[in-house]
PDB file of all heavy atoms in Angstrom:
ATOM      1  N   GLY A   1      80.874 107.523  81.696  1.00 97.00           N
ATOM      2  CA  GLY A   1      79.895 106.459  81.869  1.00 97.00           C
ATOM      3  C   GLY A   1      78.802 106.812  82.860  1.00 97.00           C
ATOM      4  O   GLY A   1      77.704 106.250  82.809  1.00 97.00           O
ATOM      5  N   ALA A   2      79.103 107.760  83.763  1.00 97.00           N
ATOM      6  CA  ALA A   2      78.092 108.186  84.731  1.00 97.00           C
ATOM      7  C   ALA A   2      76.935 108.890  84.037  1.00 97.00           C
ATOM      8  O   ALA A   2      75.780 108.797  84.476  1.00 97.00           O
ATOM      9  CB  ALA A   2      78.713 109.104  85.783  1.00 97.00           C
ATOM     10  N   ALA A   3      77.220 109.601  82.948  1.00 97.00           N
ATOM     11  CA  ALA A   3      76.170 110.293  82.199  1.00 97.00           C
ATOM     12  C   ALA A   3      75.329 109.299  81.397  1.00 97.00           C
ATOM     13  O   ALA A   3      74.098 109.245  81.544  1.00 97.00           O
ATOM     14  CB  ALA A   3      76.778 111.360  81.286  1.00 97.00           C
ATOM     15  N   THR A   4      75.984 108.485  80.588  1.00 97.00           N
ATOM     16  CA  THR A   4      75.236 107.534  79.759  1.00 97.00           C
ATOM     17  C   THR A   4      74.568 106.453  80.601  1.00 97.00           C
ATOM     18  O   THR A   4      73.503 105.954  80.252  1.00 97.00           O
ATOM     19  CB  THR A   4      76.152 106.876  78.717  1.00 97.00           C
ATOM     20  OG1 THR A   4      77.266 106.275  79.377  1.00 97.00           O
ATOM     21  CG2 THR A   4      76.661 107.901  77.719  1.00 97.00           C
ATOM     22  N   GLY A   5      75.206 106.096  81.713  1.00 97.00           N
ATOM     23  CA  GLY A   5      74.684 105.019  82.547  1.00 97.00           C
ATOM     24  C   GLY A   5      73.587 105.424  83.506  1.00 97.00           C
ATOM     25  O   GLY A   5      73.030 104.579  84.209  1.00 97.00           O
ATOM     26  N   SER A   6      73.249 106.726  83.540  1.00 98.00           N
ATOM     27  CA  SER A   6      72.228 107.185  84.481  1.00 98.00           C
ATOM     28  C   SER A   6      71.137 108.037  83.854  1.00 98.00           C
ATOM     29  O   SER A   6      70.093 108.264  84.476  1.00 98.00           O
ATOM     30  CB  SER A   6      72.885 107.993  85.612  1.00 98.00           C
ATOM     31  OG  SER A   6      73.393 109.225  85.108  1.00 98.00           O
ATOM     32  N   GLY A   7      71.383 108.558  82.643  1.00 97.00           N
ATOM     33  CA  GLY A   7      70.418 109.469  82.033  1.00 97.00           C
ATOM     34  C   GLY A   7      70.495 110.881  82.577  1.00 97.00           C
ATOM     35  O   GLY A   7      69.545 111.654  82.459  1.00 97.00           O
ATOM     36  N   VAL A   8      71.647 111.213  83.165  1.00 97.00           N
ATOM     37  CA  VAL A   8      71.897 112.563  83.665  1.00 97.00           C
ATOM     38  C   VAL A   8      73.001 113.189  82.809  1.00 97.00           C
ATOM     39  O   VAL A   8      74.034 112.575  82.575  1.00 97.00           O
ATOM     40  CB  VAL A   8      72.321 112.532  85.156  1.00 97.00           C
ATOM     41  CG1 VAL A   8      72.767 113.907  85.624  1.00 97.00           C
ATOM     42  CG2 VAL A   8      71.171 112.031  86.017  1.00 97.00           C
ATOM     43  N   ALA A   9      72.780 114.411  82.343  1.00 97.00           N
ATOM     44  CA  ALA A   9      73.723 115.045  81.420  1.00 97.00           C
ATOM     45  C   ALA A   9      75.033 115.413  82.114  1.00 97.00           C
ATOM     46  O   ALA A   9      75.049 115.704  83.321  1.00 97.00           O
ATOM     47  CB  ALA A   9      73.095 116.306  80.815  1.00 97.00           C
ATOM     48  N   PRO A  10      76.159 115.424  81.370  1.00 96.00           N
ATOM     49  CA  PRO A  10      77.461 115.733  81.967  1.00 96.00           C
ATOM     50  C   PRO A  10      77.519 117.083  82.669  1.00 96.00           C
ATOM     51  O   PRO A  10      78.270 117.247  83.630  1.00 96.00           O
ATOM     52  CB  PRO A  10      78.425 115.689  80.764  1.00 96.00           C
ATOM     53  CG  PRO A  10      77.743 114.861  79.743  1.00 96.00           C
ATOM     54  CD  PRO A  10      76.281 115.068  79.941  1.00 96.00           C
ATOM     55  N   ASN A  11      76.741 118.068  82.195  1.00 96.00           N
ATOM     56  CA  ASN A  11      76.815 119.398  82.813  1.00 96.00           C
ATOM     57  C   ASN A  11      76.097 119.473  84.162  1.00 96.00           C
ATOM     58  O   ASN A  11      76.062 120.525  84.783  1.00 96.00           O
ATOM     59  CB  ASN A  11      76.300 120.482  81.858  1.00 96.00           C
ATOM     60  CG  ASN A  11      74.835 120.325  81.500  1.00 96.00           C
ATOM     61  OD1 ASN A  11      74.189 119.324  81.817  1.00 96.00           O
ATOM     62  ND2 ASN A  11      74.286 121.328  80.822  1.00 96.00           N
ATOM     63  N   ARG A  12      75.538 118.327  84.617  1.00 96.00           N
ATOM     64  CA  ARG A  12      74.942 118.276  85.954  1.00 96.00           C
ATOM     65  C   ARG A  12      75.944 117.804  87.003  1.00 96.00           C
ATOM     66  O   ARG A  12      75.627 117.764  88.186  1.00 96.00           O
ATOM     67  CB  ARG A  12      73.714 117.348  85.985  1.00 96.00           C
ATOM     68  CG  ARG A  12      72.632 117.612  84.945  1.00 96.00           C
ATOM     69  CD  ARG A  12      72.053 119.023  84.986  1.00 96.00           C
ATOM     70  NE  ARG A  12      71.443 119.422  86.225  1.00 96.00           N
ATOM     71  CZ  ARG A  12      70.138 119.262  86.521  1.00 96.00           C
ATOM     72  NH1 ARG A  12      69.328 118.686  85.636  1.00 96.00           N
ATOM     73  NH2 ARG A  12      69.646 119.681  87.676  1.00 96.00           N
ATOM     74  N   PHE A  13      77.162 117.427  86.556  1.00 97.00           N
ATOM     75  CA  PHE A  13      78.178 116.946  87.491  1.00 97.00           C
ATOM     76  C   PHE A  13      79.044 118.108  87.965  1.00 97.00           C
ATOM     77  O   PHE A  13      79.687 118.780  87.161  1.00 97.00           O
ATOM     78  CB  PHE A  13      79.062 115.876  86.856  1.00 97.00           C
ATOM     79  CG  PHE A  13      78.307 114.676  86.338  1.00 97.00           C
ATOM     80  CD1 PHE A  13      78.697 114.034  85.170  1.00 97.00           C
ATOM     81  CD2 PHE A  13      77.201 114.191  87.008  1.00 97.00           C
ATOM     82  CE1 PHE A  13      78.009 112.941  84.687  1.00 97.00           C
ATOM     83  CE2 PHE A  13      76.492 113.084  86.527  1.00 97.00           C
ATOM     84  CZ  PHE A  13      76.893 112.472  85.372  1.00 97.00           C
ATOM     85  N   ASP A  14      79.078 118.343  89.268  1.00 94.00           N
ATOM     86  CA  ASP A  14      79.857 119.438  89.832  1.00 94.00           C
ATOM     87  C   ASP A  14      81.225 119.004  90.334  1.00 94.00           C
ATOM     88  O   ASP A  14      82.171 119.773  90.330  1.00 94.00           O
ATOM     89  CB  ASP A  14      79.086 120.077  90.992  1.00 94.00           C
ATOM     90  CG  ASP A  14      77.746 120.611  90.543  1.00 94.00           C
ATOM     91  OD1 ASP A  14      77.723 121.705  89.972  1.00 94.00           O
ATOM     92  OD2 ASP A  14      76.736 119.916  90.746  1.00 94.00           O
ATOM     93  N   ARG A  15      81.313 117.780  90.828  1.00 96.00           N
ATOM     94  CA  ARG A  15      82.575 117.256  91.357  1.00 96.00           C
ATOM     95  C   ARG A  15      82.806 115.863  90.811  1.00 96.00           C
ATOM     96  O   ARG A  15      81.861 115.056  90.708  1.00 96.00           O
ATOM     97  CB  ARG A  15      82.551 117.186  92.895  1.00 96.00           C
ATOM     98  CG  ARG A  15      82.232 118.504  93.592  1.00 96.00           C
ATOM     99  CD  ARG A  15      83.345 119.534  93.379  1.00 96.00           C
ATOM    100  NE  ARG A  15      84.477 119.306  94.260  1.00 96.00           N
ATOM    101  CZ  ARG A  15      84.515 119.803  95.499  1.00 96.00           C
ATOM    102  NH1 ARG A  15      83.495 120.476  95.991  1.00 96.00           N
ATOM    103  NH2 ARG A  15      85.584 119.622  96.239  1.00 96.00           N
ATOM    104  N   ILE A  16      84.045 115.592  90.467  1.00 97.00           N
ATOM    105  CA  ILE A  16      84.423 114.252  90.033  1.00 97.00           C
ATOM    106  C   ILE A  16      85.577 113.810  90.928  1.00 97.00           C
ATOM    107  O   ILE A  16      86.671 114.379  90.889  1.00 97.00           O
ATOM    108  CB  ILE A  16      84.798 114.222  88.546  1.00 97.00           C
ATOM    109  CG1 ILE A  16      83.554 114.598  87.712  1.00 97.00           C
ATOM    110  CG2 ILE A  16      85.306 112.832  88.145  1.00 97.00           C
ATOM    111  CD1 ILE A  16      83.801 114.812  86.266  1.00 97.00           C
ATOM    112  N   ILE A  17      85.306 112.831  91.740  1.00 97.00           N
ATOM    113  CA  ILE A  17      86.247 112.389  92.766  1.00 97.00           C
ATOM    114  C   ILE A  17      86.882 111.079  92.321  1.00 97.00           C
ATOM    115  O   ILE A  17      86.187 110.075  92.106  1.00 97.00           O
ATOM    116  CB  ILE A  17      85.533 112.216  94.121  1.00 97.00           C
ATOM    117  CG1 ILE A  17      84.890 113.551  94.558  1.00 97.00           C
ATOM    118  CG2 ILE A  17      86.490 111.708  95.181  1.00 97.00           C
ATOM    119  CD1 ILE A  17      83.934 113.415  95.718  1.00 97.00           C
ATOM    120  N   GLY A  18      88.199 111.085  92.164  1.00 97.00           N
ATOM    121  CA  GLY A  18      88.949 109.885  91.793  1.00 97.00           C
ATOM    122  C   GLY A  18      89.537 109.247  93.041  1.00 97.00           C
ATOM    123  O   GLY A  18      90.104 109.920  93.894  1.00 97.00           O
ATOM    124  N   ILE A  19      89.407 107.944  93.157  1.00 96.00           N
ATOM    125  CA  ILE A  19      89.920 107.221  94.315  1.00 96.00           C
ATOM    126  C   ILE A  19      91.209 106.498  93.920  1.00 96.00           C
ATOM    127  O   ILE A  19      91.237 105.766  92.929  1.00 96.00           O
ATOM    128  CB  ILE A  19      88.907 106.202  94.863  1.00 96.00           C
ATOM    129  CG1 ILE A  19      87.494 106.802  94.912  1.00 96.00           C
ATOM    130  CG2 ILE A  19      89.336 105.704  96.232  1.00 96.00           C
ATOM    131  CD1 ILE A  19      87.346 108.017  95.771  1.00 96.00           C
ATOM    132  N   VAL A  20      92.264 106.741  94.688  1.00 97.00           N
ATOM    133  CA  VAL A  20      93.537 106.051  94.469  1.00 97.00           C
ATOM    134  C   VAL A  20      93.982 105.407  95.778  1.00 97.00           C
ATOM    135  O   VAL A  20      93.800 105.979  96.849  1.00 97.00           O
ATOM    136  CB  VAL A  20      94.655 107.002  93.968  1.00 97.00           C
ATOM    137  CG1 VAL A  20      94.395 107.465  92.559  1.00 97.00           C
ATOM    138  CG2 VAL A  20      94.840 108.203  94.896  1.00 97.00           C
ATOM    139  N   LYS A  21      94.560 104.224  95.679  1.00 97.00           N
ATOM    140  CA  LYS A  21      95.268 103.669  96.818  1.00 97.00           C
ATOM    141  C   LYS A  21      96.632 104.332  96.922  1.00 97.00           C
ATOM    142  O   LYS A  21      97.149 104.860  95.932  1.00 97.00           O
ATOM    143  CB  LYS A  21      95.460 102.158  96.641  1.00 97.00           C
ATOM    144  CG  LYS A  21      94.331 101.317  97.177  1.00 97.00           C
ATOM    145  CD  LYS A  21      94.597  99.859  96.960  1.00 97.00           C
ATOM    146  CE  LYS A  21      93.391  99.039  97.369  1.00 97.00           C
ATOM    147  NZ  LYS A  21      93.372  97.717  96.792  1.00 97.00           N
ATOM    148  N   ALA A  22      97.209 104.263  98.135  1.00 97.00           N
ATOM    149  CA  ALA A  22      98.568 104.782  98.337  1.00 97.00           C
ATOM    150  C   ALA A  22      99.602 103.899  97.647  1.00 97.00           C
ATOM    151  O   ALA A  22     100.785 104.222  97.602  1.00 97.00           O
ATOM    152  CB  ALA A  22      98.873 104.894  99.829  1.00 97.00           C
ATOM    153  N   TYR A  23      99.136 102.774  97.099  1.00 98.00           N
ATOM    154  CA  TYR A  23      99.940 101.889  96.252  1.00 98.00           C
ATOM    155  C   TYR A  23      98.993 101.442  95.136  1.00 98.00           C
ATOM    156  O   TYR A  23      98.002 102.148  94.859  1.00 98.00           O
ATOM    157  CB  TYR A  23     100.516 100.711  97.056  1.00 98.00           C
ATOM    158  CG  TYR A  23      99.492  99.971  97.914  1.00 98.00           C
ATOM    159  CD1 TYR A  23      98.921  98.796  97.500  1.00 98.00           C
ATOM    160  CD2 TYR A  23      99.116 100.469  99.152  1.00 98.00           C
ATOM    161  CE1 TYR A  23      97.994  98.125  98.284  1.00 98.00           C
ATOM    162  CE2 TYR A  23      98.179  99.806  99.945  1.00 98.00           C
ATOM    163  CZ  TYR A  23      97.619  98.640  99.508  1.00 98.00           C
ATOM    164  OH  TYR A  23      96.696  97.988 100.286  1.00 98.00           O
ATOM    165  N   THR A  24      99.249 100.350  94.446  1.00 97.00           N
ATOM    166  CA  THR A  24      98.393  99.944  93.327  1.00 97.00           C
ATOM    167  C   THR A  24      98.089  98.454  93.427  1.00 97.00           C
ATOM    168  O   THR A  24      98.948  97.663  93.829  1.00 97.00           O
ATOM    169  CB  THR A  24      99.070 100.225  91.961  1.00 97.00           C
ATOM    170  OG1 THR A  24      99.585 101.554  91.937  1.00 97.00           O
ATOM    171  CG2 THR A  24      98.088 100.075  90.825  1.00 97.00           C
ATOM    172  N   THR A  25      96.869  98.074  93.039  1.00 96.00           N
ATOM    173  CA  THR A  25      96.521  96.658  92.938  1.00 96.00           C
ATOM    174  C   THR A  25      95.697  96.436  91.678  1.00 96.00           C
ATOM    175  O   THR A  25      95.145  97.364  91.111  1.00 96.00           O
ATOM    176  CB  THR A  25      95.675  96.179  94.142  1.00 96.00           C
ATOM    177  OG1 THR A  25      94.435  96.900  94.185  1.00 96.00           O
ATOM    178  CG2 THR A  25      96.415  96.379  95.451  1.00 96.00           C
ATOM    179  N   ARG A  26      95.636  95.195  91.241  1.00 92.00           N
ATOM    180  CA  ARG A  26      94.693  94.810  90.204  1.00 92.00           C
ATOM    181  C   ARG A  26      94.345  93.344  90.364  1.00 92.00           C
ATOM    182  O   ARG A  26      95.140  92.568  90.916  1.00 92.00           O
ATOM    183  CB  ARG A  26      95.213  95.140  88.816  1.00 92.00           C
ATOM    184  CG  ARG A  26      95.892  94.228  87.983  1.00 92.00           C
ATOM    185  CD  ARG A  26      96.104  94.632  86.523  1.00 92.00           C
ATOM    186  NE  ARG A  26      94.916  94.449  85.715  1.00 92.00           N
ATOM    187  CZ  ARG A  26      94.803  94.765  84.415  1.00 92.00           C
ATOM    188  NH1 ARG A  26      95.817  95.278  83.761  1.00 92.00           N
ATOM    189  NH2 ARG A  26      93.668  94.568  83.783  1.00 92.00           N
ATOM    190  N   VAL A  27      93.176  92.970  89.901  1.00 87.00           N
ATOM    191  CA  VAL A  27      92.722  91.581  89.881  1.00 87.00           C
ATOM    192  C   VAL A  27      92.531  91.178  88.430  1.00 87.00           C
ATOM    193  O   VAL A  27      92.031  91.948  87.621  1.00 87.00           O
ATOM    194  CB  VAL A  27      91.407  91.402  90.669  1.00 87.00           C
ATOM    195  CG1 VAL A  27      90.841  90.009  90.478  1.00 87.00           C
ATOM    196  CG2 VAL A  27      91.628  91.654  92.153  1.00 87.00           C
ATOM    197  N   GLY A  28      92.898  89.951  88.112  1.00 82.00           N
ATOM    198  CA  GLY A  28      92.750  89.493  86.739  1.00 82.00           C
ATOM    199  C   GLY A  28      94.006  89.718  85.921  1.00 82.00           C
ATOM    200  O   GLY A  28      95.015  90.254  86.395  1.00 82.00           O
ATOM    201  N   ALA A  29      93.928  89.332  84.665  1.00 87.00           N
ATOM    202  CA  ALA A  29      95.083  89.402  83.779  1.00 87.00           C
ATOM    203  C   ALA A  29      95.269  90.812  83.218  1.00 87.00           C
ATOM    204  O   ALA A  29      94.430  91.691  83.403  1.00 87.00           O
ATOM    205  CB  ALA A  29      94.912  88.398  82.647  1.00 87.00           C
ATOM    206  N   GLY A  30      96.411  91.006  82.527  1.00 93.00           N
ATOM    207  CA  GLY A  30      96.682  92.278  81.867  1.00 93.00           C
ATOM    208  C   GLY A  30      97.919  92.971  82.407  1.00 93.00           C
ATOM    209  O   GLY A  30      98.451  92.615  83.457  1.00 93.00           O
ATOM    210  N   PRO A  31      98.422  93.969  81.668  1.00 95.00           N
ATOM    211  CA  PRO A  31      99.662  94.651  82.056  1.00 95.00           C
ATOM    212  C   PRO A  31      99.528  95.393  83.386  1.00 95.00           C
ATOM    213  O   PRO A  31      98.460  95.918  83.717  1.00 95.00           O
ATOM    214  CB  PRO A  31      99.919  95.624  80.905  1.00 95.00           C
ATOM    215  CG  PRO A  31      98.591  95.824  80.242  1.00 95.00           C
ATOM    216  CD  PRO A  31      97.858  94.536  80.418  1.00 95.00           C
ATOM    217  N   PHE A  32     100.624  95.466  84.113  1.00 97.00           N
ATOM    218  CA  PHE A  32     100.644  96.103  85.427  1.00 97.00           C
ATOM    219  C   PHE A  32     102.109  96.461  85.694  1.00 97.00           C
ATOM    220  O   PHE A  32     102.846  95.674  86.312  1.00 97.00           O
ATOM    221  CB  PHE A  32     100.088  95.121  86.469  1.00 97.00           C
ATOM    222  CG  PHE A  32     100.007  95.620  87.880  1.00 97.00           C
ATOM    223  CD1 PHE A  32     100.331  96.916  88.233  1.00 97.00           C
ATOM    224  CD2 PHE A  32      99.584  94.760  88.902  1.00 97.00           C
ATOM    225  CE1 PHE A  32     100.243  97.353  89.542  1.00 97.00           C
ATOM    226  CE2 PHE A  32      99.483  95.195  90.216  1.00 97.00           C
ATOM    227  CZ  PHE A  32      99.831  96.484  90.531  1.00 97.00           C
ATOM    228  N   PRO A  33     102.574  97.634  85.222  1.00 97.00           N
ATOM    229  CA  PRO A  33     104.008  97.954  85.254  1.00 97.00           C
ATOM    230  C   PRO A  33     104.678  97.843  86.621  1.00 97.00           C
ATOM    231  O   PRO A  33     105.820  97.384  86.722  1.00 97.00           O
ATOM    232  CB  PRO A  33     104.069  99.397  84.726  1.00 97.00           C
ATOM    233  CG  PRO A  33     102.861  99.525  83.862  1.00 97.00           C
ATOM    234  CD  PRO A  33     101.803  98.692  84.525  1.00 97.00           C
ATOM    235  N   THR A  34     104.011  98.281  87.704  1.00 98.00           N
ATOM    236  CA  THR A  34     104.675  98.304  89.008  1.00 98.00           C
ATOM    237  C   THR A  34     104.460  97.023  89.812  1.00 98.00           C
ATOM    238  O   THR A  34     104.799  96.967  91.009  1.00 98.00           O
ATOM    239  CB  THR A  34     104.204  99.503  89.860  1.00 98.00           C
ATOM    240  OG1 THR A  34     102.841  99.319  90.257  1.00 98.00           O
ATOM    241  CG2 THR A  34     104.347 100.813  89.103  1.00 98.00           C
ATOM    242  N   GLU A  35     103.914  95.979  89.190  1.00 97.00           N
ATOM    243  CA  GLU A  35     103.617  94.756  89.938  1.00 97.00           C
ATOM    244  C   GLU A  35     104.861  94.200  90.620  1.00 97.00           C
ATOM    245  O   GLU A  35     105.956  94.167  90.048  1.00 97.00           O
ATOM    246  CB  GLU A  35     103.029  93.693  89.023  1.00 97.00           C
ATOM    247  CG  GLU A  35     102.607  92.430  89.770  1.00 97.00           C
ATOM    248  CD  GLU A  35     101.859  91.446  88.903  1.00 97.00           C
ATOM    249  OE1 GLU A  35     101.852  91.603  87.650  1.00 97.00           O
ATOM    250  OE2 GLU A  35     101.268  90.500  89.470  1.00 97.00           O
ATOM    251  N   LEU A  36     104.689  93.739  91.850  1.00 97.00           N
ATOM    252  CA  LEU A  36     105.773  93.187  92.659  1.00 97.00           C
ATOM    253  C   LEU A  36     105.592  91.685  92.820  1.00 97.00           C
ATOM    254  O   LEU A  36     104.478  91.214  93.100  1.00 97.00           O
ATOM    255  CB  LEU A  36     105.782  93.850  94.043  1.00 97.00           C
ATOM    256  CG  LEU A  36     106.040  95.367  94.057  1.00 97.00           C
ATOM    257  CD1 LEU A  36     105.678  95.959  95.411  1.00 97.00           C
ATOM    258  CD2 LEU A  36     107.488  95.670  93.708  1.00 97.00           C
ATOM    259  N   HIS A  37     106.680  90.956  92.656  1.00 96.00           N
ATOM    260  CA  HIS A  37     106.654  89.501  92.815  1.00 96.00           C
ATOM    261  C   HIS A  37     107.576  89.068  93.945  1.00 96.00           C
ATOM    262  O   HIS A  37     108.089  87.957  93.961  1.00 96.00           O
ATOM    263  CB  HIS A  37     107.060  88.811  91.511  1.00 96.00           C
ATOM    264  CG  HIS A  37     106.166  89.141  90.351  1.00 96.00           C
ATOM    265  ND1 HIS A  37     104.924  88.583  90.173  1.00 96.00           N
ATOM    266  CD2 HIS A  37     106.348  89.996  89.307  1.00 96.00           C
ATOM    267  CE1 HIS A  37     104.374  89.063  89.073  1.00 96.00           C
ATOM    268  NE2 HIS A  37     105.218  89.930  88.527  1.00 96.00           N
ATOM    269  N   ASP A  38     107.819  89.951  94.899  1.00 95.00           N
ATOM    270  CA  ASP A  38     108.770  89.684  95.974  1.00 95.00           C
ATOM    271  C   ASP A  38     108.109  89.911  97.327  1.00 95.00           C
ATOM    272  O   ASP A  38     106.888  90.002  97.428  1.00 95.00           O
ATOM    273  CB  ASP A  38     110.006  90.592  95.829  1.00 95.00           C
ATOM    274  CG  ASP A  38     109.644  92.084  95.774  1.00 95.00           C
ATOM    275  OD1 ASP A  38     108.460  92.430  96.059  1.00 95.00           O
ATOM    276  OD2 ASP A  38     110.533  92.914  95.456  1.00 95.00           O
ATOM    277  N   GLU A  39     108.926  89.997  98.370  1.00 95.00           N
ATOM    278  CA  GLU A  39     108.377  90.156  99.720  1.00 95.00           C
ATOM    279  C   GLU A  39     107.643  91.490  99.898  1.00 95.00           C
ATOM    280  O   GLU A  39     106.727  91.603 100.720  1.00 95.00           O
ATOM    281  CB  GLU A  39     109.484  90.012 100.782  1.00 95.00           C
ATOM    282  CG  GLU A  39     110.592  91.071 100.745  1.00 95.00           C
ATOM    283  CD  GLU A  39     111.713  90.679  99.783  1.00 95.00           C
ATOM    284  OE1 GLU A  39     111.555  89.697  99.040  1.00 95.00           O
ATOM    285  OE2 GLU A  39     112.746  91.373  99.801  1.00 95.00           O
ATOM    286  N   SER A  40     108.026  92.511  99.118  1.00 96.00           N
ATOM    287  CA  SER A  40     107.318  93.793  99.185  1.00 96.00           C
ATOM    288  C   SER A  40     105.876  93.639  98.708  1.00 96.00           C
ATOM    289  O   SER A  40     104.937  94.184  99.300  1.00 96.00           O
ATOM    290  CB  SER A  40     108.027  94.857  98.350  1.00 96.00           C
ATOM    291  OG  SER A  40     109.297  95.157  98.872  1.00 96.00           O
ATOM    292  N   GLY A  41     105.703  92.874  97.621  1.00 95.00           N
ATOM    293  CA  GLY A  41     104.362  92.613  97.122  1.00 95.00           C
ATOM    294  C   GLY A  41     103.525  91.843  98.124  1.00 95.00           C
ATOM    295  O   GLY A  41     102.339  92.125  98.329  1.00 95.00           O
ATOM    296  N   GLU A  42     104.140  90.866  98.772  1.00 95.00           N
ATOM    297  CA  GLU A  42     103.431  90.078  99.774  1.00 95.00           C
ATOM    298  C   GLU A  42     103.107  90.931 101.005  1.00 95.00           C
ATOM    299  O   GLU A  42     102.057  90.769 101.624  1.00 95.00           O
ATOM    300  CB  GLU A  42     104.272  88.850 100.180  1.00 95.00           C
ATOM    301  CG  GLU A  42     103.514  87.839 101.033  1.00 95.00           C
ATOM    302  CD  GLU A  42     102.177  87.432 100.414  1.00 95.00           C
ATOM    303  OE1 GLU A  42     102.110  87.156  99.212  1.00 95.00           O
ATOM    304  OE2 GLU A  42     101.166  87.441 101.182  1.00 95.00           O
ATOM    305  N   PHE A  43     104.027  91.848 101.364  1.00 96.00           N
ATOM    306  CA  PHE A  43     103.786  92.778 102.473  1.00 96.00           C
ATOM    307  C   PHE A  43     102.520  93.603 102.207  1.00 96.00           C
ATOM    308  O   PHE A  43     101.649  93.715 103.074  1.00 96.00           O
ATOM    309  CB  PHE A  43     104.999  93.706 102.651  1.00 96.00           C
ATOM    310  CG  PHE A  43     104.786  94.832 103.631  1.00 96.00           C
ATOM    311  CD1 PHE A  43     105.063  94.657 104.978  1.00 96.00           C
ATOM    312  CD2 PHE A  43     104.326  96.075 103.216  1.00 96.00           C
ATOM    313  CE1 PHE A  43     104.864  95.702 105.894  1.00 96.00           C
ATOM    314  CE2 PHE A  43     104.131  97.121 104.111  1.00 96.00           C
ATOM    315  CZ  PHE A  43     104.399  96.932 105.443  1.00 96.00           C
ATOM    316  N   LEU A  44     102.412  94.177 101.013  1.00 96.00           N
ATOM    317  CA  LEU A  44     101.243  94.985 100.663  1.00 96.00           C
ATOM    318  C   LEU A  44      99.976  94.134 100.662  1.00 96.00           C
ATOM    319  O   LEU A  44      98.925  94.565 101.135  1.00 96.00           O
ATOM    320  CB  LEU A  44     101.435  95.636  99.291  1.00 96.00           C
ATOM    321  CG  LEU A  44     102.547  96.681  99.185  1.00 96.00           C
ATOM    322  CD1 LEU A  44     102.702  97.136  97.724  1.00 96.00           C
ATOM    323  CD2 LEU A  44     102.272  97.894 100.076  1.00 96.00           C
ATOM    324  N   ARG A  45     100.094  92.904 100.139  1.00 96.00           N
ATOM    325  CA  ARG A  45      98.929  92.030 100.042  1.00 96.00           C
ATOM    326  C   ARG A  45      98.417  91.628 101.426  1.00 96.00           C
ATOM    327  O   ARG A  45      97.212  91.690 101.701  1.00 96.00           O
ATOM    328  CB  ARG A  45      99.253  90.777  99.228  1.00 96.00           C
ATOM    329  CG  ARG A  45      98.028  89.880  98.966  1.00 96.00           C
ATOM    330  CD  ARG A  45      98.393  88.688  98.062  1.00 96.00           C
ATOM    331  NE  ARG A  45      98.843  89.134  96.774  1.00 96.00           N
ATOM    332  CZ  ARG A  45     100.097  89.083  96.366  1.00 96.00           C
ATOM    333  NH1 ARG A  45     101.049  88.560  97.143  1.00 96.00           N
ATOM    334  NH2 ARG A  45     100.458  89.529  95.180  1.00 96.00           N
ATOM    335  N   SER A  46      99.312  91.206 102.292  1.00 94.00           N
ATOM    336  CA  SER A  46      98.883  90.714 103.597  1.00 94.00           C
ATOM    337  C   SER A  46      98.470  91.851 104.517  1.00 94.00           C
ATOM    338  O   SER A  46      97.431  91.769 105.185  1.00 94.00           O
ATOM    339  CB  SER A  46      99.996  89.868 104.236  1.00 94.00           C
ATOM    340  OG  SER A  46     101.183  90.594 104.357  1.00 94.00           O
ATOM    341  N   LYS A  47      99.243  92.940 104.554  1.00 95.00           N
ATOM    342  CA  LYS A  47      98.893  94.050 105.439  1.00 95.00           C
ATOM    343  C   LYS A  47      97.652  94.800 104.944  1.00 95.00           C
ATOM    344  O   LYS A  47      96.836  95.267 105.747  1.00 95.00           O
ATOM    345  CB  LYS A  47     100.075  95.016 105.575  1.00 95.00           C
ATOM    346  CG  LYS A  47      99.873  96.002 106.721  1.00 95.00           C
ATOM    347  CD  LYS A  47     101.084  96.848 106.986  1.00 95.00           C
ATOM    348  CE  LYS A  47     100.767  97.840 108.124  1.00 95.00           C
ATOM    349  NZ  LYS A  47     101.878  98.796 108.332  1.00 95.00           N
TER     350      LYS A  47
END
């Protein structure tokens, strides 16, 4: 999407940096295999 969304060709990209949390979150509906509904989930949310 960076190519189509900017008008810059893919071969101009030298580095592609992916950002990950040390855990996982999502907002909104949809599948989320590791979702927590217990105190661990609340720990991650509040901290």
